[in-house]
Amino acid sequence: MSVSALLDQWRDYLATARRRSPHTVRAYVATAERLLLALDLPDWEAVAAISTHELRGHLASRRAEGLVNVSAARELSALKSIVGYAREQVGAEPGTAPRMRGPRVKKGLPRPVTPDEATGLAAMVQSTATEDWIGLRDAAVLLLMYGAGLRIAEALSLTGADLPLGDKLVVTGKGNKQRVVPLIPIVREAVAAYAEVCPHPIQNDEALFKGVRGGPLSQGMVQKTMARARKALGLPATATPHALRHSFATHLLGAGADLRSLQELLGHASLGSTQIYTQVDAAKMLDAYRSAHPRESD
């Protein structure tokens, strides 16, 4: 089996079975290619037989090339993933793949946008679009991320079969895991308004959100549209599509949502991923306190 065949199989598994984002698929495939070529691994049996010592040596060579902690941790995760996959392919016993601890990475706090900024972004993309239906489409995508906490890939994975939207939506997220999210009226209305004027047929088995030529809307186009809108509104570079999902989480937590419920709504595999939003909320309260409380020196 050639290296290209191994990579094609790995790419298809990540995109189809694991439903990873295009960005993650590209990164994981690139990591796998470097490993296969560096260690001259011709088949899954060879990948499955990699030792912890070999993986450490490969990662050390990458660190010598200037890989920082965050990137090294991400690369190690990809390496473990492909070795685990290889072991499944050859029928190895589970839990026997090499175990390695990655570099410690300090997680930064998510930077959400305010409710006014979120609605302002949706209004901006709608008003500045080259065609009315494109403006309605872009606004609907942003409102799905802000109003329902969807990842950009999840919003773009919706199909015509999801129409008409009700007060709940079944979303398939990372790891092919499904969750149910509530939909507020403004989100349902935005999607319905787009679907009504979309010039391309929206078939049940096709993407709900269409590009200009009728194919699936890409993440890159959403990111570019968001970048133009935030620039027009004078918002920082941290006002990305994913920041809308952060805003959904932060605002719910501030309104009294408990962590377990928030974990389910966001589709987090572990509660630890959700707990970071408690730090965001605490940071916001501290900022408010500092801005309102008289300083001792005054």
Side-chain angles (χ1 to χ4, degrees):
M1 199 172 190
S2 66
V3 168
S4 61
L6 291 176
L7 293 175
D8 286 342
Q9 184 177 334
W10 178 232
R11 182 183 294 106
D12 183 66
Y13 169 75
L14 291 169
T16 305
R18 297 300 304 275
R19 296 178 63 88
R20 297 291 192 179
S21 71
H23 174 75
T24 299
V25 171
R26 285 192 298 271
Y28 273 41
V29 170
T31 297
E33 183 175 20
R34 283 191 292 267
L35 177 71
L36 297 178
L37 294 177
L39 300 185
D40 191 22
L41 306 173
D43 49 41
W44 291 126
E45 286 78 6
V47 179
I50 290 177
S51 67
T52 301
H53 176 74
E54 289 174 312
L55 273 184
R56 281 180 178 153
H58 176 68
L59 196 58
S61 67
R62 292 284 293 142
R63 293 300 295 267
E65 295 172 3
L67 209 63
V68 298
N69 278 3
V70 173
S71 299
R74 189 180 299 118
E75 185 136 338
L76 176 58
S77 176
L79 290 171
K80 287 181 176 180
S81 183
I82 191 173
V83 172
Y85 175 75
R87 295 191 68 80
E88 290 179 3
Q89 300 309 297
V90 302
E93 294 182 12
T96 56
R99 295 182 180 181
M100 291 174 60
R101 182 174 297 177
R104 300 184 69 176
V105 178
K106 183 179 180 181
K107 290 186 177 180
L109 294 180
R111 298 188 178 182
V113 297
T114 67
D116 285 345
E117 289 169 345
T119 54
L121 284 163
M124 179 60 70
V125 298
Q126 183 173 342
S127 64
T128 57
T130 55
E131 296 184 49
D132 289 343
W133 76 271
I134 292 177
L136 290 170
R137 176 201 68 190
D138 293 341
V141 172
L142 298 193
L143 287 173
L144 271 167
M145 290 185 283
Y146 173 65
L150 269 59
R151 300 178 177 92
I152 184 171
E154 293 170 348
L156 297 184
S157 71
L158 299 181
T159 67
D162 292 306
L163 295 177
L165 295 182
D167 57 1
K168 294 179 181 178
L169 176 66
V170 178
V171 179
T172 302
K174 288 184 176 181
N176 216 29
K177 294 180 180 179
Q178 289 189 328
R179 68 184 190 277
V180 178
V181 296
L183 295 178
I184 56 178
I186 189 174
V187 175
R188 300 198 304 268
E189 292 163 6
V191 174
Y194 151 72
E196 185 176 354
V197 299
C198 179
H200 306 290
I202 302 176
Q203 305 293 340
N204 282 356
D205 59 346
E206 294 181 354
L208 168 59
F209 294 108
K210 304 287 186 178
V212 174
R213 293 189 176 90
L217 179 63
S218 70
Q219 290 191 34
M221 286 304 301
V222 177
Q223 291 163 343
K224 288 179 181 178
T225 299
M226 182 88 165
R228 288 193 297 268
R230 72 169 177 253
K231 185 176 181 180
L233 293 172
L235 298 179
T238 53
T240 62
H242 203 65
L244 295 173
R245 175 172 153 90
H246 291 324
S247 299
F248 168 83
T250 305
H251 300 159
L252 278 183
L253 189 63
D258 64 272
L259 280 177
R260 285 293 181 188
S261 298
L262 189 57
Q263 178 189 1
E264 293 180 8
L265 289 174
L266 292 172
H268 284 161
S270 69
L271 189 61
S273 298
T274 313
Q275 286 175 328
I276 192 171
Y277 291 105
T278 62
Q279 299 178 49
V280 175
D281 200 52
K284 287 175 64 179
M285 287 190 293
L286 184 58
D287 285 342
Y289 172 82
R290 284 173 173 167
S291 64
H293 196 279
R295 299 181 183 275
E296 292 182 5
S297 58
D298 293 346

